[in-house]
Amino acid sequence: MNQVAPLRRPTPGQIALARRLVEAPSNQPPARAQVEASVYLDPARFAAEQTRIFKRLPLPLGPSALLPEPGMVASHKEYGLPLLLSRDKDGQAHVFLNACRHRGTCLVETRDPAKAPSLVCPYHACTYRLDGQLTGVPRAETFPGLDKAEHGLVAMPSVEAGGILWVGLDRSNPPDFASVTGELAADLDAFGFADMHLYKRQLHDVPANWKLIADAFQEAYHVRRLHAKTIGAFFAESVTAVDRIGLHMRTVVGRADFLQAAGADDFQRLRQAVTYTYTLFPATTVIVSPDYVNILVSYPQAHDRTIMEDFMLIPEAPKTE
């Protein structure tokens, strides 16, 4: 694509961060720290992270564009739970355990989004609406006293905000979704995530700790060198500004012409001059390039193994190959 689709105006926080690229550097001496290798290699620490971080915080499942229309479903299992994602006839997104309430049979097998007017269990043909309500039980007379209203699918804590589907993994202790709504959602909405097209998604099985993957996207020092043969030439040398949105980090990196446009109240110019990157705590990175967006979701599997999913969003569906 040669043109950036019209977008909403940047938020005050996005403009302020971009303007910091051209401000005089601080006189404060840089801080230095050393991280012990055990932070990445200790299996006991990994187990504690799963309990104290991943089961307590909202976690991304993917962009809203994963279910672009009402009447769509998909499965998700990379967080270690069998999950079912659906968008009902009214456009409301839901996350359920991917299990029939009768005998626990998996209801949706495909990871790829699929149209489904309803959910029918392949074992005994119990039927559910996409909002989770049980609507049909074959031979209902053999289940005397069954109240279908009390046997809908098991809902997981979830919210759709900023063009991303979020879930909490602990039903008994739902996370505080305020950390992914408010200012963060306003920033992501400014890019128009919810209206974008999911061009491609891909899973990568990475033999590394999840924090090594997160670290890689929190600095621009490597860009001109690691990416020298591709995008490196488009970026200024390590020109970066960083701030925080609650638990999350917001970074902006200067492109070659950032001095002329950084701080502009116009995304058409601003996204050509700088690249925004969001580190969504704990393990998701959002990279906003001039004409596409990558959402990189990490699913920690072990202290030395991470499955990472890369979602690529573009402004609209392509008209040709």
Side-chain angles (χ1 to χ4, degrees), residues 40 53 180 216 224 232:
Y40 304 92
I53 298 177
V180 299
R224 290 286 294 269

Side-chain angles (χ1 to χ4, degrees), residues 14 56 70 76 88 100 109 113 117 124 161 163 177 184 224 234 306:
Q14 289 167 334
R56 294 185 180 181
H76 192 290
D88 66 27
C100 179
E109 296 282 357
H124 298 100
F177 286 107
L184 177 65
R224 290 286 294 269
F234 296 104
T306 304

Side-chain angles (χ1 to χ4, degrees), residues 301-313:
Q301 305 296 301
H303 72 282
D304 58 357
R305 178 176 175 238
T306 304
I307 293 176
M308 187 181 74
E309 187 161 21
D310 182 359
F311 297 91
M312 183 179 183
L313 303 178

Side-chain angles (χ1 to χ4, degrees), residues 177-226:
F177 286 107
S179 65
V180 299
T181 57
E183 186 179 359
L184 177 65
D187 263 36
L188 302 183
D189 283 338
F191 296 117
F193 282 11
D195 299 322
M196 288 188 174
H197 171 76
L198 178 57
Y199 178 71
K200 192 174 182 180
R201 61 193 289 220
Q202 186 170 352
L203 286 175
H204 305 271
D205 199 329
V206 184
N209 185 272
W210 66 272
K211 294 187 293 297
L212 283 173
I213 298 171
D215 288 350
F217 295 101
Q218 292 186 14
E219 47 88 3
Y221 183 43
H222 71 277
V223 173
R224 290 286 294 269
R225 282 151 285 278
L226 180 63

Side-chain angles (χ1 to χ4, degrees), residues 100 105-109 120-126:
C100 179
T105 300
C106 179
L107 295 170
V108 175
E109 296 282 357
V120 181
C121 177
Y123 198 173
H124 298 100
C126 293

Side-chain angles (χ1 to χ4, degrees), residues 3-7 266-273:
Q3 299 294 325
V4 178
L7 296 171
D266 174 2
F267 261 144
Q268 192 79 15
R269 295 174 60 209
L270 191 55
R271 285 182 62 183
Q272 295 292 337

Side-chain angles (χ1 to χ4, degrees), residues 10-23 239-243 250-254 258-267 269-271 273-276:
T11 66
Q14 289 167 334
I15 296 172
L17 187 61
R19 285 177 177 159
R20 283 175 51 188
L21 291 176
V22 297
E23 293 175 353
V239 178
T240 307
V242 182
D243 66 0
R250 176 173 53 189
T251 305
V252 66
V253 179
F258 75 96
L259 284 172
Q260 286 71 40
D265 187 14
D266 174 2
F267 261 144
R269 295 174 60 209
L270 191 55
R271 285 182 62 183
V274 302
T275 293
Y276 286 93

Side-chain angles (χ1 to χ4, degrees), residues 28-35:
Q28 182 178 350
R32 294 179 175 87
Q34 181 172 322
V35 180

